[in-house]
Amino acid sequence: MELNSKIPAGPVETKWTKYKSSVKLVNPANKRNLDIIIVGTGLAGASAAASLGELGYKVKAFCFQDSPRRAHSIAAQGGINAAKNYQNDGDSTYRLFYDTIKGGDYRAREANVYRLAEVSSNIIDQCVAQGVPFAREYGGLLSNRSFGGTQVQRTFYAAGQTGQQLLLGAYSALERQVALGNVEMHTRHEMLDVVVIDGKTRGIIARNLITGEIERHAGHAVLLCTGGYGNVFYLSTNAMGSNVTAAWKAHKKGAFFANPCFTQIHPTCIPVSGDHQSKLTLMSESLRNDGRIWVPKKQNDDRKPIDIPEEERDYYLERRYPAFGNLVPRDVASRAAKERCDAGYGVGTSKMAVYLDYAAAIERYGKIEVGKKGLSNISKEEIIALGKDVVKEKYGNLFDMYAKITGENPYETPMRIYPAVHYTMGGLWVDYELKTTVDGLYALGEANFSDHGANRLGASALMQGLADGYFVIPYTIGNYLADEIRTGHISTDHPAFLQAENEVKETLNKFVNCKGNKSVDYFHKALGKIMWNDCGMARNKEGLEKAIKEIKALRTEFWNNVMVPGTVDEFNVELEKAGRVADFIELGELMCKDALDRNESCGGHFREESQTEEGEAERNDEIYSYVAAWKYINAGESELNKEPLIYENIKIAARSYK
């Protein structure tokens, strides 16, 4: 199938403006007769629901949590990027565009990324108007800090809880539309299928998670804003409920899945402590803004970090990447940490960790405070105390979180960190309008593939989610719905709704009637180990081929031996998990196929066969400069389609941060 990305003609700087000026419009009277279903109410979903409700559309919003405030968007703690150049340090829309394309290792679509950079400033203005409490400088201007992959300060933040504050802003806008009757909110509901009639999306099948009731909901368009699929690895920084089910059901109904192997490993997570864990905890990348990462120069050094003198410490990121230092992109920092630990320089009891040290930052901030206050005859202890106060103001809740989890005081001793699965750059394939390969079906935020290529820069997830919801979809969806007004009311009595509902019920009954002897978690953990070992931070042909065989066998065993207690018509958490793990198993196989097919290293996808003598990722632009878009055929069978990536505004080069 030829993929039409619908990128507007003309210079990249004017594409979005030209598109908005020529796109079809829906008049206000007609909007009241058009139904839009939004699945997921994190940043992308809540902002989209609020914006479309404000425009006058009839919106139904669904989330599996008890409140949109519990969406996983709150976990994006560090900040949100925008090209406002408040620091006057050389930032611009083009610079943000360039950094994002380069950070994604030249595997993202130019037009979408430029639009993201273009609307980034509008996002900040929107959020400030909503009352989001961004940090401010003494004079009242919004403050900025640095993030990985950039040499400017463009990240706006609210201490260490930026995602939560942005979500509260979007939630407030959403609830306003709920109160006005423009948005109908359905909490504790999970979408279990998409209904497609004559090639067009006409609604969804959802399960009421409290009662178990299966419901039909019709709409002229469906927006999937359901986040990423990092929990395919079992252990990740994602909330335990985060899943791929909505996107996977759409994939099975004709929506292509793009670049599934592009997963991001975050370098600053609290290391695994044992088999008892069900998730991992992220220490925000904002900590790399001031913290220094190091390991001992001596292998298997068991001394306490405070007992290791400066000359015996290896600040390996500063050594290997002097231009960016501790602020190299996440994939680069993660691989470097793994390399040091694999070489025997890891720290902690597991030796699978490195240090993130704030001693130098605390002392530096303390001296700055001394200068500000004009103090004299100050002892080093007093300088340190002043510095700790500044660090506490900027990162306090993150330090508190680390202390509660580890029992260690990060103000006094370095944090121990190690890479973990965090974000997924792959997702449903969408065109410039955020529409999938199924008419009327859209994917926003992390649920789509479009903006980050093979690696996402820090502080860009919040930016993409809000850009898609507030500033992109309100324009692009009108181009489709302008022709849908003639469709009129969509009845849920159509045979396609009945068929989809029956298929959902059949699957649910199959779970509870299996009567196996292994829990859902057993299968999820088994899948996670396969994925982490063979499709994790490093991949090779032999391991991926082995993983595909193991996942096929696991899928067979799952359907024959899974144990799901309870019934389908009640509150049943194990039943919810069973459906999600079934989808993860199929997705895991596709991820391994995609990774096997892409015999190059780029961003978060590191093939051991494709690396330089220095161990850096080595792309193959002649063969693999494309988006891999997979079409579902049957379980374990997919067809590869390719969207060529054409760069007209950026010169492709070796990705260097040295």
Side-chain angles (χ1 to χ4, degrees), residues 146 227 386 403:
S146 300
L386 288 170

Side-chain angles (χ1 to χ4, degrees), residues 251-327:
H251 177 51
K252 295 174 83 167
K253 283 295 179 72
F256 287 11
F257 212 106
N259 298 336
C261 78
F262 285 172
T263 54
Q264 181 166 84
I265 313 296
H266 198 295
T268 55
C269 300
I270 297 178
V272 176
S273 60
D275 291 337
H276 64 282
Q277 281 185 270
S278 56
K279 77 175 298 295
L280 298 175
T281 302
L282 169 69
M283 299 308 297
S284 169
E285 182 174 320
S286 61
L287 294 173
R288 287 203 283 146
N289 185 65
D290 284 311
R292 300 181 72 193
I293 296 171
W294 63 277
V295 292
K297 289 184 177 179
K298 187 174 76 173
Q299 291 178 319
N300 300 311
D301 195 329
D302 291 325
R303 289 177 293 174
K304 294 180 179 179
I306 57 174
D307 294 333
I308 301 176
E310 191 73 15
E311 62 272 14
E312 295 181 31
R313 300 180 178 189
D314 178 15
Y315 295 93
Y316 58 89
L317 291 178
E318 299 172 31
R319 169 173 56 83
R320 292 176 60 177
Y321 309 101
F324 282 75
N326 296 294
L327 289 174

Side-chain angles (χ1 to χ4, degrees), residues 63-65 70-72 188-191 209 226-232 234 236-246 278-279 521 524 573 576-581 583-584:
C63 71
F64 64 73
Q65 300 95 342
R70 296 191 186 276
H72 186 60
R188 302 297 287 142
H189 280 68
E190 183 165 28
M191 189 203 93
L209 298 181
T226 49
Y229 48 89
N231 277 348
V232 69
Y234 185 71
S236 80
T237 66
N238 289 186
M240 289 177 64
S242 298
N243 63 84
V244 76
T245 288
S278 56
K279 77 175 298 295
D521 280 345
H524 198 175
V573 175
E576 295 173 35
K577 287 160 57 177
R580 296 166 188 170
V581 171
D583 295 330
F584 276 139

Side-chain angles (χ1 to χ4, degrees), residues 400-416:
D400 293 344
M401 181 172 67
Y402 183 88
K404 287 179 180 178
I405 292 172
T406 65
E408 299 173 359
N409 184 349
Y411 293 101
E412 305 293 339
T413 187
M415 299 181 193
R416 285 173 290 109

Side-chain angles (χ1 to χ4, degrees), residues 57-265:
Y57 293 106
K58 291 170 62 179
V59 178
K60 283 186 179 181
F62 295 80
C63 71
F64 64 73
Q65 300 95 342
D66 60 347
S67 168
R69 289 174 297 173
R70 296 191 186 276
H72 186 60
S73 299
I74 67 170
Q77 307 150 319
I80 177 171
N81 289 331
K84 278 187 170 291
N85 195 30
Y86 279 175
Q87 306 299 316
N88 196 28
D89 56 0
D91 201 10
S92 65
T93 297
Y94 183 87
R95 179 83 61 180
L96 176 53
F97 161 62
Y98 175 82
D99 287 345
T100 305
I101 291 286
K102 178 184 176 183
D105 219 349
Y106 305 94
R107 291 294 177 263
R109 188 190 290 153
E110 267 196 350
N112 289 63
V113 176
Y114 192 90
R115 177 176 64 189
L116 177 65
E118 187 178 348
V119 305
S120 64
S121 294
N122 297 1
I123 298 170
I124 303 303
D125 296 340
Q126 170 90 358
C127 294
V128 169
Q130 290 174 338
V132 173
F134 286 121
R136 293 180 181 270
E137 303 288 2
Y138 178 77
L141 293 176
L142 298 182
S143 180
N144 292 119
R145 57 189 178 200
S146 300
F147 256 63
T150 71
Q151 291 178 305
V152 297
Q153 296 185 72
R154 65 161 67 100
T155 304
F156 295 77
Y157 63 97
Q161 50 183 260
T162 314
Q164 181 176 1
Q165 296 302 327
L166 291 173
L167 183 62
L168 288 173
Y171 171 74
S172 299
L174 168 61
E175 287 302 304
R176 177 174 179 271
Q177 295 305 315
V178 172
L180 291 172
N182 298 327
V183 176
E184 185 180 296
M185 190 71 221
H186 295 262
T187 58
R188 302 297 287 142
H189 280 68
E190 183 165 28
M191 189 203 93
L192 295 181
D193 208 354
V194 175
V195 179
V196 179
I197 302 174
D198 297 329
K200 292 191 174 185
T201 306
R202 293 306 188 196
I204 66 170
I205 304 297
R207 180 172 181 265
N208 184 319
L209 298 181
I210 302 298
T211 66
E213 181 183 0
I214 304 300
E215 302 175 0
R216 307 176 189 180
H217 295 273
H220 295 89
V222 173
L223 278 55
L224 300 184
C225 311
T226 49
Y229 48 89
N231 277 348
V232 69
F233 292 89
Y234 185 71
L235 284 180
S236 80
T237 66
N238 289 186
M240 289 177 64
S242 298
N243 63 84
V244 76
T245 288
W248 195 252
K249 300 306 185 189
H251 177 51
K252 295 174 83 167
K253 283 295 179 72
F256 287 11
F257 212 106
N259 298 336
C261 78
F262 285 172
T263 54
Q264 181 166 84
I265 313 296

